Amino acid sequence: MANAALAKANLHALRQVVAAIEEGRQHTGKLEETSARDEVAGRLALGVEAFDARLEGGLPVAGLCELRAALTMDAGAATGFALALSSLVQERLRPERPILWISEREAGREAGLAHAAGLVSFGIVPSSLITAHPRRIEEALWVAESALQTEAFSAVVLEVRGNPAKFGLTESRRLHLKAREARLPLLLLRQAGEEEASSAQLRFLVEAAPAGLRRIGRYSAPGTIGHPAFRITVEKSRNPAPFAFVMEWNADDRQFYPTGHRSLSDAVHASGAAHPHRSPAAPADRPDRAAEMGRILAFSRAS
């Protein structure tokens, strides 16, 4: 009984939040519409020409797109990519509207919650991000649908964990149609989930990629870490063949850049691992790996 009462209280609080947002939307009036260039094309270019070309112009500015992390260890990369995309949408299309981040309870427990310093590092002002943490997937879907109806946000992110049984093809199609109607991007962030049928226009598999060195003008600073980099595999699109790109996010420019312009020494750390995030982190007080064994074995001489 106590859990049921608490769930009803949380649902009532979420309804009040959405009602307040909708009321504020009615009083402030209609904000600026999507820029003519992006509205005509229906796509938002990410800045990596080869990647945008394969996506027929970039990210759709309306409808459902899915970002998938195959493993929990990739949750940080997927969250960072979602933040970068949201920042890009907010900057170019609707700078006066906040971002709504809906994190289902289990997803928040495993992947963590938004942190102010981290938001700033991705180019998002903390006060422009509104978060909601529903207890159940049904409540999360309801909040997302209500948010799309208010037209008060620049982008909506729905974060779930795995493949919930109550979030299938029917529910994804309903959200996709609502997002299309509202002309808003809805990013489904699926943490530690498998591929499944959905109405998403695009589905990206997001993994961390080796970051380069921080650059000062034409020079790179040894021992530093540059902008966050992502390996993006497009699993679902109009192009039937999967393809992957590695790109980095520059929060100062609010722009993605290809990593091909970096030298090999900048792109790969001294450890030599292609994916250093899949290896244990280096200790702070000793070398990150054991010393190499010698090739000559010494035996005591027989007396």
Side-chain angles (χ1 to χ4, degrees), residues 40-56:
V40 172
R43 301 272 171 164
L44 178 64
L46 302 187
V48 182
E49 294 183 3
F51 188 76
D52 290 332
R54 296 294 295 270
L55 296 181
E56 300 181 348

Side-chain angles (χ1 to χ4, degrees), residues 3 6-15 17-18 100-110 112-113 130-147 156-161 164 175:
N3 291 335
L6 182 59
K8 290 182 179 179
N10 290 335
L11 182 60
H12 179 68
L14 290 172
R15 286 176 175 170
V17 171
V18 174
L100 177 62
W101 191 290
I102 306 167
S103 179
E104 186 251 341
R105 181 180 60 175
E106 294 301 324
R109 283 180 175 179
E110 294 294 334
L113 304 178
I130 299 176
T131 59
H133 306 284
R135 291 173 56 87
R136 300 185 302 164
I137 185 63
E138 299 93 331
E139 296 174 3
L141 297 176
W142 179 85
V143 174
E145 184 175 337
S146 300
V156 178
V157 180
L158 174 59
E159 182 182 15
V160 300
R161 177 167 176 80
L175 288 178

Side-chain angles (χ1 to χ4, degrees), residues 212-295:
L213 300 178
R214 182 171 296 277
R215 290 185 174 273
I216 303 176
R218 296 181 301 171
Y219 305 96
S220 57
T224 61
I225 299 178
H227 301 296
F230 309 93
R231 175 180 173 83
I232 308 300
T233 302
V234 181
E235 297 179 326
K236 179 183 179 182
S237 69
R238 293 183 180 180
N239 190 329
F243 56 94
F245 283 83
V246 178
M247 62 187 74
E248 65 180 21
W249 170 251
N250 188 321
D252 297 327
D253 299 341
R254 286 199 177 185
Q255 177 70 47
F256 286 99
Y257 290 101
T259 57
H261 67 280
R262 299 192 316 225
S263 65
L264 182 62
S265 60
D266 286 350
V268 181
H269 291 292
S271 63
H275 299 282
H277 72 290
R278 299 190 180 277
S279 302
D285 58 345
R286 59 185 183 276
D288 60 342
R289 60 179 63 186
E292 184 178 357
M293 297 291 292
R295 297 184 179 181

Side-chain angles (χ1 to χ4, degrees), residues 26-51:
Q26 294 173 352
H27 284 289
T28 55
K30 193 173 183 180
L31 298 175
E32 296 182 358
E33 297 294 336
T34 302
S35 64
R37 177 174 61 85
D38 292 311
E39 186 176 6
V40 172
R43 301 272 171 164
L44 178 64
L46 302 187
V48 182
E49 294 183 3
F51 188 76

Side-chain angles (χ1 to χ4, degrees), residues 104 137 160-168 171 190 196:
E104 186 251 341
I137 185 63
V160 300
R161 177 167 176 80
N163 303 79
K166 296 184 179 180
F167 183 26
E171 290 77 12
R190 191 185 298 277
E196 68 174 19

